[in-house]
Amino acid sequence: EIVMTQSPATLSVSPGERAALSCRASQSVSSNLAWYQQKPGQAPRLLIYGASSRATGIPARFSGSGSGTELTLTISSLQSEDFAVYYCQQYNSWPYTFGQGTKLEIK
Amino acid sequence: EVQLVQSGAEVKKPGESLKISCKGSGYSFTSYWIGWVRQMPGKGLEWMGSIYPGDTDTRYSPSFQGQVTISADKSISTAYLQWSGLKATDSAIYYCARRYTNMGFFDYWGQGTLVTVSS
């Protein structure tokens, strides 16, 4: 099973600033990685797939990069609605696995 | 419009059985895998398993193999997650989600079903 480790657990950033969230895999996932956003009381929402492709309707301020074992989600200029929990998920091999999440909070 | 609509919240006692559902609409239900994801209170997401309604091919995470059963009825575009003997540790929100074509990420999610197991 591939273990996904996200860091940091919590990230405090001011609105308008840039945030970089890290996801590390215990073995290569190639580019078979997705990022999701989850707000309290809501289901997760797909942001990024294929490590760097934005899902339909996702603003350009969200970008994904990396491949292999080191992947990053960057939010270029944080808006109030971006403060949430973010999860990475590998789908390179069964069983699919998620990271434990990064909580992005307002500084 | 693609939609996954899940059954409502459940309160059960330990040892009881339960089957929750996920009804798909707005797309060809038999052509996409449906996955189930657990979220325990205050915790992260865990993939439990997935089913392909077209031929009922099913895959389970080793962590959930033997603990739950995933099934589907393509005639009514509905997937199911069931337990035969609930435990308090099964208390969680369960999401169904559609897997995007031949890739393993989930592009549409149900609203979640809260399952509470308590004596």
Side-chain angles (χ1 to χ4, degrees):
Chain A
E1 171 174 322
I2 299 177
V3 177
M4 307 302 292
T5 303
Q6 292 185 240
S7 61
T10 303
L11 183 61
S12 299
V13 183
S14 299
E17 292 189 337
R18 176 178 171 274
L21 288 65
S22 174
C23 179
R24 177 173 294 178
S26 61
Q27 59 187 270
S28 177
V29 299
S30 187
S31 295
N32 296 313
L33 184 106
W35 289 94
Y36 302 88
Q37 176 193 68
Q38 187 179 34
K39 297 180 180 179
Q42 296 184 17
R45 176 174 74 141
L46 176 68
L47 298 176
I48 300 286
Y49 63 92
S52 60
S53 297
R54 275 190 303 278
T56 303
I58 300 304
R61 64 181 181 271
F62 291 90
S63 64
S65 61
S67 66
T69 61
E70 300 279 348
L71 300 104
T72 302
L73 173 69
T74 301
I75 311 171
S76 59
S77 177
L78 280 161
Q79 307 296 304
S80 57
E81 62 266 30
D82 299 335
F83 292 95
V85 179
Y86 292 83
Y87 295 96
C88 61
Q89 178 229 334
Q90 70 82 18
Y91 50 93
N92 191 66
S93 62
W94 306 90
Y96 300 148
T97 46
F98 290 88
Q100 81 281 17
T102 289
K103 182 179 181 180
L104 185 56
E105 64 176 28
I106 301 175
K107 187 173 182 180
Chain B
E1 178 195 8
V2 174
Q3 283 193 312
L4 296 172
V5 178
Q6 298 185 231
S7 50
E10 301 274 2
V11 179
K12 292 289 189 179
K13 292 184 175 4
E16 292 186 332
S17 62
L18 176 64
K19 191 174 189 177
I20 62 175
S21 66
C22 169
K23 183 173 177 60
S25 62
Y27 73 100
S28 174
F29 185 73
T30 55
S31 301
Y32 293 80
W33 288 78
I34 290 285
W36 287 95
V37 175
R38 182 176 79 174
Q39 187 166 42
M40 298 180 76
K43 302 299 184 183
L45 305 172
E46 301 172 90
W47 175 72
M48 303 174 70
S50 294
I51 187 165
Y52 187 74
D55 62 7
T56 68
D57 186 11
T58 308
R59 309 289 175 91
Y60 291 94
S61 166
S63 299
F64 293 93
Q65 179 84 46
Q67 308 304 307
V68 297
T69 301
I70 294 171
S71 60
D73 184 343
K74 62 185 179 183
S75 70
I76 55 172
S77 300
T78 301
Y80 301 96
L81 177 66
Q82 69 180 87
W83 297 259
S84 58
L86 285 160
K87 310 179 192 67
T89 52
D90 293 317
S91 296
I93 297 173
Y94 294 87
Y95 294 101
C96 66
R98 189 185 81 162
R99 196 190 87 165
Y100 179 79
T101 58
N102 63 340
M103 301 174 80
F105 61 88
F106 300 106
D107 58 352
Y108 288 91
W109 293 67
Q111 82 275 20
T113 295
L114 174 63
V115 174
T116 303
V117 184
S118 174
S119 54

